[in-house]
Amino acid sequence: IKRLDETVVNRIAAGEVIQRPANAVKEMIENCLDAGSTCITVSLKSGGLKLLQISDNGHGIRKEDMEIVCERFTTSKLKEFDDLKSIATFGFRGEALASISHVAHLTITTRTKDSKCAYKASYLDSKLKGAVRPTAGNIGTQITVEDLFYNVPTRRKAFKSASEEHQKIADVMTRFVYALHNSGKSFTLRKMDQDVSAGVSVRTQLGSTHVTNIGTLFGSNVGKEVIQVDHFDPQLHLKINGYVTNANCSIKRFLFLLFINNRLVECTVLKKALDSLYQTYLPKGGHPFVYLSLEMPANNLDVNVHPTKHEVHFLHEGTVVESVEKQVEAALLSCDSSRTFYMQVGGLLVTSLSHDSMSQDPKSHDSMSHDPKSHDSMSHDRKSHDPKSHDPMSHDPKSHDSKSHDPKSHDSKSLTAAGLPRRRQIQLTSVLQLSEEVKEKSHKELCKVLHDHTFVGCVEPELALIQHETKLHLVNTGNLSEELFYQTLLKDFGNFAIYRLSESAPIYELAMLGLNLEESGWTPADGSKENLANYIVNFLGGKAEMLNDYFCIDITKEGHISGIPMLLKGYSPPLEGLPLFVMRLATEVDWEEEKACFNSVCREIARFFVSLIVCLLKNRASQSYKIKTKPKNFPFRFYSLKNNLTNAETFSDVKSVANDNEWLPWKRMVEHTVMKSLRDLKVPTSMVDNGTFLQLANLPDLYKVFERC
């Protein structure tokens, strides 16, 4: 028997800790979190095998610690063995950086807040290579790992593809949920390969909530159906917090994310118990999403069990599992009492509520109220109506040039095996054609810009700055929002929730208000305003059933508007635009042909939803940009920015609106609601030349300017 060389021992140990690039990312992210970082960026080339770089804004590493930072069993988190009983950090052994340095070329650039400059050092086999040298850098640490497993060719060849390794790293940041559990902190995963797949794969915003991150990382279908579990067990000193999906959500694979004392771990017993619990509520083959964070006394937990620390042992395991299972079931039962179901009335699909939901008083919100449980279903107040009202022209249904509703689609098949509502399927040819036209006329490059953009900030009520890769763009949020609502109307046609006005608005009074506005273009030659207002009341009353059925515009028999559609969760439509909306709905819509009718109604609703910008612009006596002449009888046009931003005269003697309180609600809505929804927008090619997108700067071009200087 011979003693192994120290280099061989270290490489064997490195192979246990760093099995693939994803393990290296996991270890270094945990170091970043232990360092108090709030912004963490991971950049990759070839799935992390060629380049793996992690940057954070933590407290950094002192210069005097740089010499030994990569040696095995050097750590700032542990001094004595007894400290393991109360360990609260992710790492404690001091093996991560040492292991990486034995299988890759490692470089560390770091700066503390007390340091005047950053320091950079390279490492090989745990030893410092060369001297620690000063350099420029931000507060925090940047670790660069190059040529991972360069000296272990067998391990390197075993990896199937760079894309697979990239996906596993993405899983570390999403399904292994560092980005979810540490909500409020910013996580970014960037692919730096020189191909079409380059760009940002994962991004969570600084200050985001758990629910927001669940929707971002796991999809809106999961995010909108989660319920919170929050409980403290005084006997076990156990705090349970997390989010689980309700009975309305069913996915193919059980997503179980468990943190114990902020450490991502596995617990097979708890996973099986929760999966078995959900089988009572979900259809066969369905599984839930479960994210739980348990906090217990540190002396009840043993974290020194597995080299990668993904397994832990804790006391009273059976009792803890039983307590967690009980709280999850209680949350499901409380949510289940107010589920929405569909029923058949008169051959048409309508909804009804359980008595618990019906007894709740609606909460007012900007003179409107809505039931949050109805966000993804049809209106809770949908009334039965004559099937003939499906025809926008109010003629015989046989005159339709589109597919009629199949009566069989409204029978018991409208419910899943678990009694959950299915999405109402609209198969009107005209709607399908309009949706297909949106896809055909989309601009791929601009779609990519919006999908992968980083929001910078609002400049004016209708202008915002976004960054995409190395380019800075000025975008017209008015144009984009209008197109977003138009496409939402086509996508969710006939499947909207509804905003209930706290007081129904008489159409006659709205029409009179609209006719008194300058934008209406009314002249005495058009006839008396009273006659025109009565005409609008009668005309829209005749279209009430169709508007209610397809667009959730609820018009009562008395000629009042009592409800408008909810197009975007968290977005409140401006009621100031109702007078002009009512006028244009009666006069500007093509009611003679089905496709043109649906298209123009969707356009008018979309303009109404963004009419707040018009109100803000009208309140400004001076603007920092020039607008085009307003077309006659087109009050809701959003004016495009002229390409003269470099003209100094445009910005001279202009009062800024940045601090005006009048547009702060819109600013918040753009940043937190609209811009997130724009990522999936199909940008029409018409926005290439109409000033909706304006490139202000490109980093490579700026480098050229600096070089000339």
PDB file of all heavy atoms in Angstrom, residues 43 116 121 161 172 185 193 213 227-228 248 274 294 339 383 426 483 515 517 543 580 658 669 680:
ATOM      1  N   SER A  43     -22.465  33.847 -16.642  1.00  0.00           N
ATOM      2  CA  SER A  43     -22.223  33.883 -18.081  1.00  0.00           C
ATOM      3  C   SER A  43     -21.525  32.602 -18.503  1.00  0.00           C
ATOM      4  O   SER A  43     -20.601  32.136 -17.817  1.00  0.00           O
ATOM      5  CB  SER A  43     -21.367  35.102 -18.455  1.00  0.00           C
ATOM      6  OG  SER A  43     -21.989  36.301 -18.023  1.00  0.00           O
ATOM      7  N   LYS A 116      -9.821  50.687  -2.201  1.00  0.00           N
ATOM      8  CA  LYS A 116      -9.827  51.722  -3.236  1.00  0.00           C
ATOM      9  C   LYS A 116      -9.823  51.131  -4.636  1.00  0.00           C
ATOM     10  O   LYS A 116     -10.162  51.815  -5.603  1.00  0.00           O
ATOM     11  CB  LYS A 116      -8.615  52.642  -3.059  1.00  0.00           C
ATOM     12  CG  LYS A 116      -8.637  53.433  -1.759  1.00  0.00           C
ATOM     13  CD  LYS A 116      -7.439  54.356  -1.659  1.00  0.00           C
ATOM     14  CE  LYS A 116      -7.476  55.165  -0.361  1.00  0.00           C
ATOM     15  NZ  LYS A 116      -6.301  56.060  -0.241  1.00  0.00           N
ATOM     16  N   ALA A 121      -6.370  37.699  -9.160  1.00  0.00           N
ATOM     17  CA  ALA A 121      -5.383  36.639  -8.968  1.00  0.00           C
ATOM     18  C   ALA A 121      -5.837  35.390  -9.708  1.00  0.00           C
ATOM     19  O   ALA A 121      -7.038  35.150  -9.873  1.00  0.00           O
ATOM     20  CB  ALA A 121      -5.189  36.337  -7.484  1.00  0.00           C
ATOM     21  N   SER A 161     -23.491  17.175 -24.854  1.00  0.00           N
ATOM     22  CA  SER A 161     -23.528  18.402 -25.654  1.00  0.00           C
ATOM     23  C   SER A 161     -23.477  19.611 -24.740  1.00  0.00           C
ATOM     24  O   SER A 161     -23.835  19.538 -23.556  1.00  0.00           O
ATOM     25  CB  SER A 161     -24.792  18.459 -26.516  1.00  0.00           C
ATOM     26  OG  SER A 161     -25.948  18.550 -25.703  1.00  0.00           O
ATOM     27  N   VAL A 172     -30.400  24.658 -12.279  1.00  0.00           N
ATOM     28  CA  VAL A 172     -29.871  25.037 -10.964  1.00  0.00           C
ATOM     29  C   VAL A 172     -30.479  26.370 -10.524  1.00  0.00           C
ATOM     30  O   VAL A 172     -30.825  26.559  -9.357  1.00  0.00           O
ATOM     31  CB  VAL A 172     -28.332  25.140 -11.013  1.00  0.00           C
ATOM     32  CG1 VAL A 172     -27.799  25.826  -9.764  1.00  0.00           C
ATOM     33  CG2 VAL A 172     -27.725  23.755 -11.145  1.00  0.00           C
ATOM     34  N   LYS A 185     -33.958  39.164  -4.964  1.00  0.00           N
ATOM     35  CA  LYS A 185     -32.602  39.279  -5.494  1.00  0.00           C
ATOM     36  C   LYS A 185     -32.628  38.987  -6.997  1.00  0.00           C
ATOM     37  O   LYS A 185     -33.478  38.245  -7.477  1.00  0.00           O
ATOM     38  CB  LYS A 185     -31.659  38.313  -4.775  1.00  0.00           C
ATOM     39  CG  LYS A 185     -31.563  38.587  -3.282  1.00  0.00           C
ATOM     40  CD  LYS A 185     -30.605  37.642  -2.584  1.00  0.00           C
ATOM     41  CE  LYS A 185     -30.537  37.955  -1.091  1.00  0.00           C
ATOM     42  NZ  LYS A 185     -29.599  37.079  -0.358  1.00  0.00           N
ATOM     43  N   ASP A 193     -22.225  32.282 -26.312  1.00  0.00           N
ATOM     44  CA  ASP A 193     -21.756  31.645 -27.538  1.00  0.00           C
ATOM     45  C   ASP A 193     -22.093  32.512 -28.747  1.00  0.00           C
ATOM     46  O   ASP A 193     -23.118  33.210 -28.777  1.00  0.00           O
ATOM     47  CB  ASP A 193     -22.410  30.267 -27.699  1.00  0.00           C
ATOM     48  CG  ASP A 193     -21.989  29.316 -26.595  1.00  0.00           C
ATOM     49  OD1 ASP A 193     -20.784  29.049 -26.482  1.00  0.00           O
ATOM     50  OD2 ASP A 193     -22.877  28.867 -25.835  1.00  0.00           O
ATOM     51  N   ASN A 213     -41.870  35.446  -9.417  1.00  0.00           N
ATOM     52  CA  ASN A 213     -40.799  34.565  -9.876  1.00  0.00           C
ATOM     53  C   ASN A 213     -41.316  33.187 -10.264  1.00  0.00           C
ATOM     54  O   ASN A 213     -40.791  32.560 -11.189  1.00  0.00           O
ATOM     55  CB  ASN A 213     -39.719  34.438  -8.792  1.00  0.00           C
ATOM     56  CG  ASN A 213     -38.822  35.657  -8.732  1.00  0.00           C
ATOM     57  OD1 ASN A 213     -38.906  36.534  -9.586  1.00  0.00           O
ATOM     58  ND2 ASN A 213     -37.973  35.725  -7.737  1.00  0.00           N
ATOM     59  N   ILE A 227     -51.211  29.085  -4.194  1.00  0.00           N
ATOM     60  CA  ILE A 227     -51.761  29.601  -2.938  1.00  0.00           C
ATOM     61  C   ILE A 227     -50.666  29.501  -1.880  1.00  0.00           C
ATOM     62  O   ILE A 227     -49.796  28.627  -1.945  1.00  0.00           O
ATOM     63  CB  ILE A 227     -53.008  28.806  -2.496  1.00  0.00           C
ATOM     64  CG1 ILE A 227     -52.716  27.298  -2.468  1.00  0.00           C
ATOM     65  CG2 ILE A 227     -54.185  29.104  -3.389  1.00  0.00           C
ATOM     66  CD1 ILE A 227     -53.888  26.451  -2.017  1.00  0.00           C
ATOM     67  N   GLN A 228     -50.706  30.396  -0.919  1.00  0.00           N
ATOM     68  CA  GLN A 228     -49.646  30.446   0.088  1.00  0.00           C
ATOM     69  C   GLN A 228     -49.947  29.520   1.260  1.00  0.00           C
ATOM     70  O   GLN A 228     -51.091  29.355   1.672  1.00  0.00           O
ATOM     71  CB  GLN A 228     -49.446  31.872   0.590  1.00  0.00           C
ATOM     72  CG  GLN A 228     -48.243  32.023   1.514  1.00  0.00           C
ATOM     73  CD  GLN A 228     -47.978  33.461   1.888  1.00  0.00           C
ATOM     74  OE1 GLN A 228     -48.804  34.331   1.676  1.00  0.00           O
ATOM     75  NE2 GLN A 228     -46.810  33.721   2.455  1.00  0.00           N
ATOM     76  N   ASN A 248     -56.915  23.698  -9.463  1.00  0.00           N
ATOM     77  CA  ASN A 248     -57.143  24.103 -10.851  1.00  0.00           C
ATOM     78  C   ASN A 248     -55.926  23.860 -11.730  1.00  0.00           C
ATOM     79  O   ASN A 248     -56.020  23.972 -12.949  1.00  0.00           O
ATOM     80  CB  ASN A 248     -57.499  25.590 -10.921  1.00  0.00           C
ATOM     81  CG  ASN A 248     -58.847  25.869 -10.310  1.00  0.00           C
ATOM     82  OD1 ASN A 248     -59.722  25.014 -10.316  1.00  0.00           O
ATOM     83  ND2 ASN A 248     -59.023  27.059  -9.753  1.00  0.00           N
ATOM     84  N   LEU A 274     -46.905  14.308  -0.015  1.00  0.00           N
ATOM     85  CA  LEU A 274     -47.625  15.387  -0.689  1.00  0.00           C
ATOM     86  C   LEU A 274     -48.178  14.936  -2.039  1.00  0.00           C
ATOM     87  O   LEU A 274     -49.289  15.327  -2.431  1.00  0.00           O
ATOM     88  CB  LEU A 274     -46.702  16.598  -0.871  1.00  0.00           C
ATOM     89  CG  LEU A 274     -46.275  17.303   0.417  1.00  0.00           C
ATOM     90  CD1 LEU A 274     -45.324  18.444   0.108  1.00  0.00           C
ATOM     91  CD2 LEU A 274     -47.488  17.829   1.173  1.00  0.00           C
ATOM     92  N   LEU A 294     -38.872  25.391   5.074  1.00  0.00           N
ATOM     93  CA  LEU A 294     -39.034  25.020   6.478  1.00  0.00           C
ATOM     94  C   LEU A 294     -37.887  25.618   7.286  1.00  0.00           C
ATOM     95  O   LEU A 294     -36.725  25.570   6.862  1.00  0.00           O
ATOM     96  CB  LEU A 294     -39.049  23.499   6.647  1.00  0.00           C
ATOM     97  CG  LEU A 294     -40.007  22.696   5.763  1.00  0.00           C
ATOM     98  CD1 LEU A 294     -39.929  21.214   6.116  1.00  0.00           C
ATOM     99  CD2 LEU A 294     -41.431  23.203   5.893  1.00  0.00           C
ATOM    100  N   ARG A 339     -64.075  27.519  -5.723  1.00  0.00           N
ATOM    101  CA  ARG A 339     -63.723  27.200  -7.102  1.00  0.00           C
ATOM    102  C   ARG A 339     -64.854  27.570  -8.050  1.00  0.00           C
ATOM    103  O   ARG A 339     -66.022  27.593  -7.678  1.00  0.00           O
ATOM    104  CB  ARG A 339     -63.376  25.719  -7.248  1.00  0.00           C
ATOM    105  CG  ARG A 339     -62.024  25.360  -6.661  1.00  0.00           C
ATOM    106  CD  ARG A 339     -61.895  23.892  -6.434  1.00  0.00           C
ATOM    107  NE  ARG A 339     -61.949  23.147  -7.676  1.00  0.00           N
ATOM    108  CZ  ARG A 339     -61.976  21.820  -7.710  1.00  0.00           C
ATOM    109  NH1 ARG A 339     -61.965  21.132  -6.596  1.00  0.00           N
ATOM    110  NH2 ARG A 339     -62.011  21.183  -8.862  1.00  0.00           N
ATOM    111  N   LYS A 383     -74.801  36.142 -18.275  1.00  0.00           N
ATOM    112  CA  LYS A 383     -76.225  35.842 -18.301  1.00  0.00           C
ATOM    113  C   LYS A 383     -76.527  34.953 -19.490  1.00  0.00           C
ATOM    114  O   LYS A 383     -75.838  34.972 -20.496  1.00  0.00           O
ATOM    115  CB  LYS A 383     -77.040  37.138 -18.408  1.00  0.00           C
ATOM    116  CG  LYS A 383     -76.792  38.096 -17.233  1.00  0.00           C
ATOM    117  CD  LYS A 383     -77.556  39.379 -17.438  1.00  0.00           C
ATOM    118  CE  LYS A 383     -77.353  40.331 -16.279  1.00  0.00           C
ATOM    119  NZ  LYS A 383     -76.004  40.746 -16.085  1.00  0.00           N
ATOM    120  N   ILE A 426     -63.127  28.794 -28.908  1.00  0.00           N
ATOM    121  CA  ILE A 426     -63.789  29.588 -29.939  1.00  0.00           C
ATOM    122  C   ILE A 426     -63.184  29.204 -31.284  1.00  0.00           C
ATOM    123  O   ILE A 426     -61.980  29.369 -31.506  1.00  0.00           O
ATOM    124  CB  ILE A 426     -63.603  31.098 -29.687  1.00  0.00           C
ATOM    125  CG1 ILE A 426     -64.189  31.475 -28.323  1.00  0.00           C
ATOM    126  CG2 ILE A 426     -64.248  31.907 -30.799  1.00  0.00           C
ATOM    127  CD1 ILE A 426     -65.680  31.309 -28.220  1.00  0.00           C
ATOM    128  N   GLU A 483     -51.149  47.387 -29.081  1.00  0.00           N
ATOM    129  CA  GLU A 483     -51.025  46.133 -29.831  1.00  0.00           C
ATOM    130  C   GLU A 483     -51.122  44.932 -28.896  1.00  0.00           C
ATOM    131  O   GLU A 483     -51.690  43.892 -29.253  1.00  0.00           O
ATOM    132  CB  GLU A 483     -49.687  46.109 -30.579  1.00  0.00           C
ATOM    133  CG  GLU A 483     -49.489  44.912 -31.495  1.00  0.00           C
ATOM    134  CD  GLU A 483     -50.484  44.874 -32.642  1.00  0.00           C
ATOM    135  OE1 GLU A 483     -50.972  45.954 -33.043  1.00  0.00           O
ATOM    136  OE2 GLU A 483     -50.778  43.764 -33.137  1.00  0.00           O
ATOM    137  N   LEU A 515     -69.721  63.769 -27.009  1.00  0.00           N
ATOM    138  CA  LEU A 515     -70.057  64.744 -28.051  1.00  0.00           C
ATOM    139  C   LEU A 515     -69.600  66.150 -27.682  1.00  0.00           C
ATOM    140  O   LEU A 515     -69.359  66.986 -28.570  1.00  0.00           O
ATOM    141  CB  LEU A 515     -71.560  64.728 -28.295  1.00  0.00           C
ATOM    142  CG  LEU A 515     -72.105  63.476 -29.006  1.00  0.00           C
ATOM    143  CD1 LEU A 515     -73.612  63.429 -28.929  1.00  0.00           C
ATOM    144  CD2 LEU A 515     -71.633  63.436 -30.457  1.00  0.00           C
ATOM    145  N   LEU A 517     -66.807  66.794 -26.279  1.00  0.00           N
ATOM    146  CA  LEU A 517     -65.354  66.865 -26.418  1.00  0.00           C
ATOM    147  C   LEU A 517     -64.974  67.333 -27.811  1.00  0.00           C
ATOM    148  O   LEU A 517     -65.636  67.011 -28.804  1.00  0.00           O
ATOM    149  CB  LEU A 517     -64.732  65.496 -26.144  1.00  0.00           C
ATOM    150  CG  LEU A 517     -64.872  64.947 -24.719  1.00  0.00           C
ATOM    151  CD1 LEU A 517     -64.308  63.535 -24.639  1.00  0.00           C
ATOM    152  CD2 LEU A 517     -64.162  65.847 -23.721  1.00  0.00           C
ATOM    153  N   LYS A 543     -76.771  45.498 -29.765  1.00  0.00           N
ATOM    154  CA  LYS A 543     -75.579  44.641 -29.869  1.00  0.00           C
ATOM    155  C   LYS A 543     -75.131  44.121 -28.507  1.00  0.00           C
ATOM    156  O   LYS A 543     -74.068  43.516 -28.380  1.00  0.00           O
ATOM    157  CB  LYS A 543     -74.414  45.439 -30.482  1.00  0.00           C
ATOM    158  CG  LYS A 543     -74.761  46.189 -31.759  1.00  0.00           C
ATOM    159  CD  LYS A 543     -75.134  45.253 -32.884  1.00  0.00           C
ATOM    160  CE  LYS A 543     -75.452  46.040 -34.156  1.00  0.00           C
ATOM    161  NZ  LYS A 543     -75.929  45.154 -35.248  1.00  0.00           N
ATOM    162  N   LEU A 580     -65.564  58.632 -25.151  1.00  0.00           N
ATOM    163  CA  LEU A 580     -65.151  58.488 -26.546  1.00  0.00           C
ATOM    164  C   LEU A 580     -65.216  57.035 -26.994  1.00  0.00           C
ATOM    165  O   LEU A 580     -65.507  56.741 -28.153  1.00  0.00           O
ATOM    166  CB  LEU A 580     -63.740  59.037 -26.732  1.00  0.00           C
ATOM    167  CG  LEU A 580     -63.648  60.560 -26.887  1.00  0.00           C
ATOM    168  CD1 LEU A 580     -62.202  61.014 -26.932  1.00  0.00           C
ATOM    169  CD2 LEU A 580     -64.382  61.027 -28.128  1.00  0.00           C
ATOM    170  N   ALA A 658     -40.752  64.195 -15.260  1.00  0.00           N
ATOM    171  CA  ALA A 658     -40.262  63.030 -14.522  1.00  0.00           C
ATOM    172  C   ALA A 658     -40.785  62.991 -13.091  1.00  0.00           C
ATOM    173  O   ALA A 658     -40.969  61.927 -12.520  1.00  0.00           O
ATOM    174  CB  ALA A 658     -38.733  63.016 -14.517  1.00  0.00           C
ATOM    175  N   MET A 669     -47.394  50.974 -13.648  1.00  0.00           N
ATOM    176  CA  MET A 669     -48.097  49.932 -14.385  1.00  0.00           C
ATOM    177  C   MET A 669     -47.261  49.451 -15.575  1.00  0.00           C
ATOM    178  O   MET A 669     -47.223  48.268 -15.893  1.00  0.00           O
ATOM    179  CB  MET A 669     -49.456  50.446 -14.853  1.00  0.00           C
ATOM    180  CG  MET A 669     -50.492  49.367 -15.077  1.00  0.00           C
ATOM    181  SD  MET A 669     -52.102  50.041 -15.494  1.00  0.00           S
ATOM    182  CE  MET A 669     -52.486  50.952 -14.008  1.00  0.00           C
ATOM    183  N   ASP A 680     -43.947  38.438 -24.849  1.00  0.00           N
ATOM    184  CA  ASP A 680     -44.516  37.475 -25.795  1.00  0.00           C
ATOM    185  C   ASP A 680     -45.289  38.148 -26.920  1.00  0.00           C
ATOM    186  O   ASP A 680     -46.001  37.477 -27.663  1.00  0.00           O
ATOM    187  CB  ASP A 680     -45.440  36.501 -25.049  1.00  0.00           C
ATOM    188  CG  ASP A 680     -44.693  35.668 -24.026  1.00  0.00           C
ATOM    189  OD1 ASP A 680     -43.547  35.294 -24.307  1.00  0.00           O
ATOM    190  OD2 ASP A 680     -45.256  35.394 -22.946  1.00  0.00           O
TER     191      ASP A 680
END
